[in-house]
Amino acid sequence: MDERAVRDLASSIDGIVTRPDNERFLASTRGFNLAHRHRPALVVEPANTDDIRAAIQFAGTHQLPVAVQATGHGQFLETTNALVLLTHQLSSVTIDERARTATIGAGTRWRRVLDAAAPYGLAPLSGSASTVGAIGYLLGGGVGLLARKYGFGADSILHLKMIGADGVETRVGPDQHADLFWAIRGGKSNFGIVTEVTIRLVPVSEVFAASVYLDASSIDPVLRRYADWSRSAPDDVTSSFAILRPPDAPFVPEPLRNKTVAHLRWVDCSDEPSRQHLRDLDSILAAGKAVLVHAGLRKPSDLDFVHDDPTEPCPIWERTAQTQSLSSSMIDTLLEHVGAQAASPLAMAEIRQLGGALRRQPEPPNAVAGRDGSYTMLLLGIGPPELLSAVADAGQGLLDALRPHLTGRSLMNWLGSATSPEQVRAAWEPATAARLQAIKAEVDPTNMFRFGHPIVDE
Ligand SMILES: Cc1cc2nc3c(=O)[nH]c(=O)nc-3n(C[C@H](O)[C@H](O)[C@H](O)COP(=O)(O)OP(=O)(O)OC[C@H]3O[C@@H](n4cnc5c(N)ncnc54)[C@H](O)[C@@H]3O)c2cc1C
């Protein structure tokens, strides 16, 4: 690449430009997922929207593809020979209390939005970990802890600003670029770089939340009772069940270290704490033996404990799938592969219940994938490359065995290691994937935005 042009870019913007020969370069391209070594051509850390515009215009002139990273929680595709935009400096939140909205900058993590909204008794539709970036989460759908009552995070997007392949910032909303507004709410980074999003907040100041770990012998009976209960679960309760194999590490609570355990997560956002829902929870838990319980009334900004996701960067493999029912034969297959008696390298096999408000399209509709599924599964492994290849084999083996029970569709945010355009397109019904591709061809004909989870072939 033309050294002089890079120097000109660096001197024309307020942010930072680094080349591979710079010490800052390697550290800055490492995100949360350490499984991949990215080899971009150039890293730009914009200090404002003008910097993003200048970087995209530079990429266009030099025919470089563009990737974007806020926190690195969703990096599963090696970024090679591209201009990478690191948006971490662009963290901002403005709450409009009367309109019950939040306007969020490109590099903002959920923690900042949760803390800004909480004093007003409001909450965003964020996910299980407040360390995740708000924009990446929202554009990929976003299934959070209040999801069955309030829907996908993407459904709460009112309008946004983005910079497309032409380097121009555009406002996109129900009345402006309606096709793009449909596509980007679900189609993620395939269309451009989002610089700002305005979302609707929900009036929730307190919920009943529980995080209950149970011993290995509880996995089978508790999962089956959970599956029975979930068939007629109330929309107020968003819940999930996971089989975990936490390592023997100091950050893991002692009763869980190096064990196979069940983990039931439960968030009830009924207006009044519901006695019936508590009885339901007790009855599920009565099928097993709890070893660690955290539960009580909490603010929506204090819910990271429910999943207790890892907070330190680590190498991750993950894949996802959906099912319409947790049938007995599906549970048999699952337990054969990851149950108490199995020797599985997967650190987690999680089932989150979907349905409720997640099934309802917002107005205007959007392109969120996996809206019709009843349950979503996430298979995840953590470890060095030699372990991750065993994890990938085990995960693929489980997905193959479960195939007759799966819908074939998936949530975009959890596609994880399924990064080929064919795998990404399969997240949607074919007609929806075709519409996304047609809009992509119109707004990004050279496929400048081809990293993350790309929907068109290179
Ligand atoms: C610990 C953990 C917990 C999670 N919990 C949930 C959960 O509860 N529910 C859920 O739905 N998902 C969850 N996820 C998945 C997460 O929502 C996605 O990985 C999301 O893409 C992460 O966004 P990020 O900005 O943090 O990550 P990054 O790796 O920085 O970005 C991921 C992708 O988001 C896109 N993106 C980011 N910023 C922009 C932008 N400004 N413009 C356009 N595209 C952009 C790009 O495609 C980028 O490749 C979780 C992930 C982890 C690791």
Side-chain angles (χ1 to χ4, degrees):
M1 203 187 325
D2 182 349
E3 287 291 337
R4 202 163 136 200
V6 175
R7 274 204 304 278
D8 287 350
L9 173 68
S11 61
S12 70
I13 69 171
D14 294 327
I16 300 164
V17 177
T18 38
R19 301 280 321 261
D21 56 3
N22 185 306
E23 262 180 37
R24 187 185 175 97
F25 186 83
L26 194 59
S28 68
T29 55
R30 281 215 184 102
F32 183 82
N33 183 3
L34 303 178
H36 305 287
R37 195 179 155 179
H38 303 292
R39 295 180 185 80
L42 200 61
V43 173
V44 177
E45 294 168 72
N48 49 48
T49 304
D50 283 344
D51 289 357
I52 300 185
R53 204 179 299 136
I56 290 182
Q57 283 165 357
F58 177 93
T61 307
H62 296 87
Q63 290 165 4
L64 284 174
V66 173
V68 55
Q69 182 175 311
T71 72
H73 278 78
Q75 301 300 319
F76 290 89
L77 182 63
E78 272 165 36
T79 310
T80 45
N81 196 28
L83 184 153
V84 174
L85 285 165
L86 299 180
T87 58
H88 58 102
Q89 293 193 63
L90 303 175
S91 172
S92 63
V93 185
T94 310
I95 304 290
D96 182 333
E97 184 192 358
R98 285 186 53 177
R100 290 183 175 168
T101 62
T103 297
I104 306 168
T108 314
R109 292 178 193 257
W110 278 123
R111 169 52 49 210
R112 191 157 176 194
V113 188
L114 285 158
D115 288 346
Y120 305 103
L122 298 171
L125 299 180
S126 54
S128 58
S130 62
T131 46
V132 165
I135 306 289
Y137 169 97
L138 288 167
L139 300 183
V143 174
L145 299 174
L146 313 175
R148 281 173 42 82
K149 179 150 181 178
Y150 293 106
F152 284 97
D155 300 350
S156 71
I157 299 179
L158 297 171
H159 50 83
L160 54 88
K161 287 185 189 160
M162 60 169 275
I163 300 182
D166 54 3
V168 175
E169 189 176 38
T170 315
R171 188 182 145 110
V172 178
D175 303 320
Q176 295 123 320
H177 308 281
D179 268 2
L180 191 51
F181 189 53
W182 169 82
I184 198 161
R185 288 175 302 148
K188 223 168 177 178
S189 59
N190 282 288
F191 306 96
I193 306 301
V194 171
T195 51
E196 184 183 284
V197 167
T198 299
I199 56 167
R200 173 176 56 86
L201 300 169
V202 295
V204 178
S205 47
E206 206 171 53
V207 297
F208 172 79
S211 166
V212 182
Y213 297 87
L214 303 106
D215 72 2
S217 70
S218 311
I219 292 173
D220 185 322
V222 173
L223 174 54
R224 289 181 202 275
R225 200 169 285 185
Y226 173 72
D228 283 348
W229 166 83
S230 67
R231 278 184 203 108
S232 53
D235 292 359
D236 280 346
V237 177
T238 299
S239 65
S240 62
F241 179 94
I243 300 168
L244 303 179
R245 291 181 156 79
D248 187 3
F251 64 85
V252 176
E254 203 280 322
L256 313 179
R257 270 183 214 163
N258 207 19
K259 304 237 168 67
T260 302
V261 293
H263 188 197
L264 187 69
R265 299 82 164 251
W266 184 279
V267 176
D268 181 358
C269 48
S270 309
D271 293 337
E272 296 285 320
S274 162
R275 285 177 197 283
Q276 180 56 48
H277 300 169
L278 276 181
R279 278 196 292 273
D280 291 349
L281 176 60
D282 282 346
S283 142
I284 296 168
L285 296 175
K289 182 172 168 240
V291 291
L292 194 61
V293 179
H294 302 289
L297 293 173
R298 304 289 171 95
K299 288 196 263 178
S301 52
D302 291 339
L303 295 179
D304 277 9
F305 82 96
V306 175
H307 282 246
D308 198 20
D309 288 325
T311 52
E312 291 303 315
C314 48
I316 302 172
W317 177 95
E318 74 180 35
R319 289 282 298 276
T320 189
Q322 283 194 343
T323 178
Q324 291 301 12
S325 79
L326 291 180
S327 65
S328 178
S329 69
M330 180 187 160
I331 292 175
D332 290 345
T333 306
L334 184 71
L335 296 182
E336 217 174 278
H337 285 252
V338 290
Q341 311 305 327
S344 173
L346 290 166
M348 180 174 85
E350 168 187 275
I351 295 165
R352 288 198 198 189
Q353 188 179 15
L354 303 177
L358 291 165
R359 226 184 265 285
R360 295 190 281 276
Q361 272 286 3
E363 192 47 52
N366 62 32
V368 166
R371 187 179 284 285
D372 296 331
S374 298
Y375 302 88
T376 189
M377 203 163 45
L378 181 67
L379 307 179
L380 181 142
I382 296 174
E386 56 283 8
L387 179 66
L388 284 192
S389 72
V391 162
D393 290 346
Q396 187 60 55
L398 176 53
L399 291 173
D400 290 344
L402 288 173
R403 186 87 47 221
H405 304 278
L406 304 178
T407 64
R409 307 282 89 84
S410 359
L411 299 176
M412 177 75 156
N413 270 352
W414 281 316
L415 283 176
S417 309
T419 52
S420 76
E422 197 186 349
Q423 288 173 313
V424 175
R425 286 193 294 269
W428 290 271
E429 296 296 333
T432 311
R435 183 175 170 201
L436 283 166
Q437 283 178 282
I439 295 171
K440 165 82 174 174
E442 218 171 280
V443 301
D444 182 17
T446 64
N447 198 12
M448 176 183 269
F449 305 108
R450 66 177 79 141
F451 292 99
H453 287 92
I455 56 166
V456 298
D457 303 293
E458 241 183 76

